[in-house]
Amino acid sequence: MTAQRFFWLASIVVALAVVAVVTPASPLYLPHLLNSGPQFEGRSLNQWLRALHGDDEAARRRAIFAMGAMGNAASEAVPTLTKLMVDDPDREIRNEAALALSKMDSAEAVPALGKALKDPEAAVRMNATLALFRLKKAASPTVPALIEELKKVENHTNLNTFTFTLQEATALALGRASAGTADAVPALMETLEGADKVSLRIALVRALGDIGPEAKAAVPMLRKLLNTRNASLKETVEETLRAIEGDAAAPATPEKAEKSVSADHYELPVAEREYIWEIEHHGNLLVKHGFGALSAALTKGDAVELRRLLADDFAGSDLHEPQRIQAPPGYVQVERLQDSGQAPLKLDRDGFVGRLMELRRQFSAAAPKVKFALMNLGPKVRKQTDGLWTGTTLLRLFGESSKGAPAEIAVVLRYEIPRPTAESLGRSGWLRGASILQMLRAQAPKYLFAEVAQRRGLDTTRLHDNWKTTRFYATTGGVYVCDFDRDGILDVLITDINGLALYRGLPGGMFEEVTQSYGLPTQPLSSNFAAWVDIDGDGWDDLILGSAIFRNDAGQGFVDVTSRCKLNLPRDAGNIVVADYDRDGKLDLYVTRTGPPGERSWLDDKSSDPRGNYLFRNKGNWEFEDVTRAAGVSGGRRSSFSAAWLDANNDGWPDLHVINEFGDGVLLVNNRDGTFREQALADRPADYGSMGLAAGDIDNDGNIDIFCANMFSKAGTRVIANLAPDAYPPPIMEKFRRFVAGSQLHLNKGNLKFEQAGTRMQVAGIGWSYGACLADLDNDGFLDIYATAGFISTSRDHPDG
């Protein structure tokens, strides 16, 4: 090689090296080689950028997180992040990119953030909105898009993650972005006019304050809001008025409040509230000092002590020739004794004590447990608190009639006592009278169920237990049963905030954990709902896990087909119920959602989120289309924990009942043309606090009935019973009574007519009920009801259900 050629070759190499070390995208970029510039977890921004282009999905998402963690120091990554946010087909990647941008202050990202406001994924829209909120006036080009988003009902959600809704975040971002102009004022005022939630009003009012003097058109509306009794809203209104009119503005004079502003005019007078508080206070004393002594004496079988607690002139009674309602002969013997219209059998003190001891003797194996539950209580004559008090209580004795043979007796008693105080209840003879109104007796030769989860291979130690951690979760996951491998034995999928587990059923009632070996993730999911459904119609049940979709590979394992399956489930979905509603041979999905309460949810039956639920029609080839509006099945502004498909009118087409957390649900009757029509189950308030439901033919008459698992409150029942009869208008009182009445059984009488039989069939007062199911537990040919009950207990040994 000649000297001249060597010189030119060396020059080219040096030039290329110079270019490499000064080009930011180059792996030899000098600042990165020297470890200068922003870093996260010991890696440079350039290294994290390169990780985005690899095949490791977890590494890609971690890289995006790293850029967000570096914040404004990672501004070099903004072009990459904006492209991912707008163009990436993976909605999780789009969401992570939007989240990273929300931690930066880059005006360069504004055009892309404006596009992201139209993303089908609510989480992407939320994070893009938060990014615009940070940018303040720099986000002004997106004002038209923000106004459009403010009006969309699908943005009335907090994604079950945030303490505010997407609509509220949009309002705040809009106020900042349009500061100094009146561009957004009409939209903010229009939304404020119809807002039925305090937190939304506060966000809208604050946005008007951020706009400043240019929002003067809103001043009359703001002055009306000064009548609110909500301290936070009133304070926000005052601050906004000062921002618009200046600190020197005259004090705002409240104007007459509009009826839609709040329900404060339904507030009870102080005297009525104090009367109810007094009754509840004395009820607590009765439970502690009165019923506690009765329970202890009856548990011990101490007839002398029982006699001491009853007055010398005690007036009692028992059912005389009662009506006997018995379950068909079978595994469990159940009998209910109730009033038959005959005059009651009078009992004096000794006779009543003898009756109680007779009930106790039915538990020969050991002393039964005894509990008195306070049901109703109040002065015999309203407001005469120094006179006699009356009420009802539920007496329960439960234990074993013989060794290994469970038994229970439940007695409804009406009692009469003096004003219950610690002093009066500590004296002898405080129980003036008691009458047996109803009795229920049940016994079986052995226990129907035994807890065998660990023995059978179901590892419950892996599940989150609120009693063993400081972190409380109201809902930790769910259990989903299916024979996914079609071997004739049911399998169990368990979702939990600690992770996922699939258990394959084995002969002999055993289970083996096969999660990883069958291709499913074990880590906790972003959403804990799941559904078994044969999406592709091949006869094998596929699996929906939150936002992920897995195809069942002929029972041999599962394949992730999320990217292939066009199913854009809402991030805040709560449950999925499956049916072929249009009878085209492909299974469709109805997705339920819960929503935050509106300010008048307790009267209007409505959530503040008008989006409702979703119906996704299966088009085949792993494609779904959202047909909610076309079919008319959103359920209105109901907060729905679940729903149930049933053929309500026996025409062979699936109908749908949608429950409501804040009032009555709705039956959606299939029109057989792809649409549904709404039908009420009753002409009066029939449900409230519905947290679950089950459908089945309870009475074997060929019509499908509906059981709604509702909230029930003994304390609430007492409060409503002690209200003055004219405390509220009759329609309001009727709703009040429904609030606390408990679960409901809607008996289908045919021709879309339903009888509300919850109270008559005595399934109402089962506690604060959540999930429910119908099953023939004793194999007698009739469906039984199983419903969980309870919410938060102060002790593991004392459940509140």
Side-chain angles (χ1 to χ4, degrees):
M1 179 182 295
T2 65
Q4 186 177 15
R5 286 185 177 179
F6 179 81
F7 171 79
W8 284 112
L9 181 60
S11 299
I12 292 172
V13 171
V14 171
L16 290 174
V18 170
V19 170
V21 298
V22 300
T23 301
S26 167
L28 299 177
Y29 184 45
L30 185 58
H32 295 154
L33 290 175
L34 298 176
N35 286 324
S36 62
Q39 291 190 7
F40 179 74
E41 294 183 344
R43 301 176 67 184
S44 69
L45 173 60
N46 196 52
Q47 291 172 305
W48 285 116
L49 282 169
R50 288 201 302 273
L52 284 177
H53 304 291
D55 296 329
D56 188 332
E57 188 68 20
R60 291 183 69 206
R61 295 181 63 175
R62 188 62 182 168
I64 297 173
F65 177 84
M67 296 172 195
M70 287 184 276
N72 289 331
S75 59
E76 184 183 332
V78 168
T80 302
L81 291 173
T82 55
K83 182 174 177 56
L84 289 172
M85 178 181 64
V86 173
D87 297 334
D88 200 281
D90 187 329
R91 61 182 176 179
E92 295 295 338
I93 293 293
R94 298 199 308 276
N95 181 40
E96 295 289 345
L99 176 61
L101 288 169
S102 74
K103 300 175 183 179
M104 302 177 180
D105 299 314
S106 175
E108 180 185 356
V110 167
L113 291 168
K115 292 181 180 179
L117 293 178
K118 299 184 182 299
D119 194 284
E121 176 65 28
V124 177
R125 300 198 303 275
M126 175 69 88
N127 285 320
T129 302
L130 295 178
L132 293 170
F133 173 80
R134 283 181 59 120
L135 289 167
K136 300 181 182 178
K137 187 66 177 174
S140 59
T142 66
V143 165
L146 287 168
I147 291 175
E148 185 178 343
E149 293 303 305
L150 181 69
K151 300 178 180 179
K152 289 184 178 179
V153 296
E154 56 264 35
N155 290 334
H156 297 194
T157 174
N158 65 357
L159 285 72
N160 286 338
T161 301
F162 298 89
T163 57
F164 48 85
T165 67
L166 179 49
Q167 186 187 33
E168 292 162 14
T170 302
L172 294 171
L174 185 55
R176 286 185 163 200
S178 65
T181 75
D183 296 345
V185 173
L188 291 168
M189 290 177 61
E190 179 185 352
T191 307
L192 181 58
E193 181 75 24
D196 63 352
K197 186 181 175 188
V198 170
S199 59
L200 175 58
R201 291 180 188 167
I202 289 175
L204 293 162
V205 170
R206 186 171 294 149
L208 290 167
D210 288 338
I211 290 173
E214 293 298 323
K216 59 185 178 182
V219 168
M221 178 182 290
L222 293 169
R223 288 185 182 277
K224 290 180 181 180
L225 286 176
L226 286 170
N227 289 279
T228 181
R229 296 186 183 182
N230 185 282
S232 298
L233 176 57
K234 186 173 183 178
E235 182 180 353
T236 305
V237 171
E238 291 171 346
E239 291 177 358
T240 292
L241 285 170
R242 286 194 294 270
I244 295 174
E245 299 183 303
D247 292 335
T253 303
E255 300 179 17
K256 186 177 180 180
E258 296 180 84
K259 289 184 179 179
S260 62
V261 169
S262 73
D264 290 340
H265 58 287
Y266 287 120
E267 187 175 26
L268 278 177
V270 172
E272 285 294 313
R273 279 182 277 162
E274 290 179 345
Y275 175 63
I276 291 173
W277 293 340
E278 182 179 2
I279 292 175
E280 288 301 292
H281 167 66
H282 288 292
N284 291 333
L285 296 176
L286 175 59
V287 170
K288 181 178 180 180
H289 300 287
F291 291 159
L294 279 172
S295 295
L298 192 51
T299 299
K300 296 175 183 177
D302 189 342
V304 174
E305 177 62 10
L306 285 172
R307 192 173 185 279
R308 186 187 71 81
L309 297 174
L310 274 58
D312 293 341
D313 58 350
F314 177 88
S317 68
D318 193 2
L319 296 167
H320 181 52
E321 297 183 2
Q323 178 185 7
R324 295 177 179 269
I325 300 175
Q326 296 177 321
Y331 182 85
V332 180
Q333 300 176 38
V334 179
E335 180 182 47
R336 186 168 72 229
L337 309 180
Q338 60 188 36
D339 183 26
S340 63
Q342 300 289 326
L345 179 65
K346 293 184 179 181
L347 298 174
D348 60 11
R349 177 169 61 179
D350 290 335
F352 194 80
V353 169
R355 187 72 175 102
L356 292 179
M357 294 300 293
E358 179 186 348
L359 296 177
R360 186 189 181 281
R361 281 193 291 273
Q362 297 183 41
F363 300 87
S364 58
K369 293 183 179 180
V370 179
K371 289 186 178 181
F372 282 85
L374 180 64
M375 297 171 68
N376 291 313
L377 173 68
K380 193 170 184 178
V381 178
R382 193 172 193 277
K383 290 296 184 81
Q384 293 186 13
T385 57
D386 290 331
L388 291 175
W389 288 47
T390 63
T392 56
T393 181
L394 178 66
L395 164 62
R396 290 181 61 229
L397 300 90
F398 52 101
E400 295 181 342
S401 59
S402 59
K403 189 170 180 57
E408 179 174 357
I409 298 175
V411 184
V412 179
L413 296 171
R414 179 186 292 124
Y415 57 87
E416 184 175 279
I417 58 176
R419 181 170 179 259
T421 65
E423 182 182 4
S424 67
L425 296 168
R427 292 194 291 261
S428 298
W430 60 264
L431 186 56
R432 299 288 304 273
S435 299
I436 295 176
L437 304 181
Q438 180 179 286
M439 185 182 303
L440 180 73
R441 295 188 292 215
Q443 63 181 24
K446 61 181 179 179
Y447 289 94
L448 183 60
F449 291 99
E451 206 293 304
V452 295
Q454 290 291 132
R455 270 204 318 262
R456 297 300 179 95
L458 300 171
D459 186 4
T460 58
T461 64
R462 297 164 49 177
L463 305 178
H464 176 82
D465 187 338
N466 283 321
W467 291 102
K468 296 180 180 179
T469 177
T470 57
R471 300 192 66 182
F472 172 81
Y473 295 89
T475 304
T476 57
V479 178
Y480 305 85
V481 178
C482 169
D483 182 9
F484 77 85
D485 53 3
R486 291 169 43 180
D487 63 354
I489 302 174
L490 292 175
D491 313 300
V492 177
L493 172 75
I494 300 177
T495 63
D496 187 75
I497 59 174
N498 287 340
L500 185 79
L502 175 64
Y503 294 93
R504 180 173 171 268
L506 303 174
M510 300 299 292
F511 293 89
E512 64 171 339
E513 201 265 323
V514 295
T515 315
Q516 283 185 303
S517 62
Y518 274 62
L520 295 180
T522 59
Q523 69 271 19
L525 304 174
S526 58
S527 299
N528 272 328
F529 69 89
W532 293 105
V533 51
D534 183 6
I535 295 177
D536 56 358
D538 65 352
W540 299 88
D541 285 329
D542 308 301
L543 181 60
I544 299 174
L545 280 177
S547 60
I549 316 295
F550 292 87
R551 180 179 64 82
N552 187 336
D553 187 12
Q556 302 303 306
F558 293 88
V559 179
D560 191 337
V561 293
T562 308
S563 59
R564 175 185 175 187
C565 186
K566 295 180 174 59
L567 176 61
N568 189 33
L569 292 173
R571 188 181 182 89
D572 56 354
N575 198 11
I576 299 176
V577 289
V578 181
D580 180 11
Y581 81 92
D582 53 1
R583 301 202 334 188
D584 65 351
K586 295 181 284 292
L587 293 175
D588 312 300
L589 309 175
Y590 189 73
V591 181
T592 63
R593 300 174 51 260
T594 57
E599 190 165 309
R600 287 168 51 92
S601 291
W602 54 284
L603 288 180
D604 294 340
D605 302 352
K606 296 177 180 177
S607 164
S608 64
D609 181 352
R611 284 186 302 153
N613 306 317
Y614 292 84
L615 177 61
F616 293 95
R617 178 175 173 270
N618 190 339
K619 298 170 62 177
N621 196 31
W622 297 94
E623 293 188 7
F624 288 84
E625 63 175 331
D626 182 352
V627 296
T628 309
R629 293 189 179 182
V633 292
S634 71
R637 296 176 67 166
R638 290 177 170 85
S639 176
S640 304
F641 279 72
S642 187
W645 293 101
L646 69 151
D647 186 1
N649 53 4
N650 293 326
D651 66 351
W653 290 75
D655 309 303
L656 182 67
H657 184 65
V658 179
I659 59 173
N660 182 12
E661 182 183 4
F662 303 124
D664 286 315
V666 62
L667 178 65
L668 299 170
V669 181
N670 196 326
N671 289 325
R672 299 185 288 186
D673 61 359
T675 66
F676 293 75
R677 65 183 186 275
E678 293 191 358
Q679 166 105 16
L681 295 184
D683 59 0
R684 62 191 184 281
D687 285 302
Y688 187 85
S690 301
M691 307 269 181
L693 82 165
D697 186 1
I698 291 285
D699 48 8
N700 287 351
D701 66 350
N703 298 314
I704 303 299
D705 311 302
I706 301 172
F707 175 76
C708 289
N710 299 336
M711 293 187 294
F712 170 75
S713 171
K714 294 187 292 291
T717 302
R718 289 195 302 276
V719 169
I720 300 303
N722 286 311
L723 287 175
D726 59 350
Y728 296 102
I732 303 299
M733 290 296 292
E734 189 174 30
K735 283 202 169 187
F736 274 177
R737 286 188 284 271
R738 185 60 249 174
F739 290 169
V740 296
S743 295
Q744 185 64 274
L745 179 57
H746 300 275
L747 289 180
N748 188 341
K749 312 307 289 186
N751 297 317
L752 296 177
K753 303 295 183 184
F754 289 82
E755 174 196 352
Q756 284 65 53
T759 300
R760 176 174 67 82
M761 298 188 73
Q762 302 203 11
V763 296
I766 60 173
W768 189 315
S769 190
Y770 277 75
C773 72
L774 298 177
D776 184 5
L777 300 176
D778 55 359
N779 293 323
D780 66 351
F782 285 84
L783 290 174
D784 308 304
I785 299 174
Y786 178 82
T788 58
F791 183 50
I792 302 175
S793 301
T794 57
S795 167
R796 182 189 287 274
D797 298 326
H798 295 86
D800 71 350

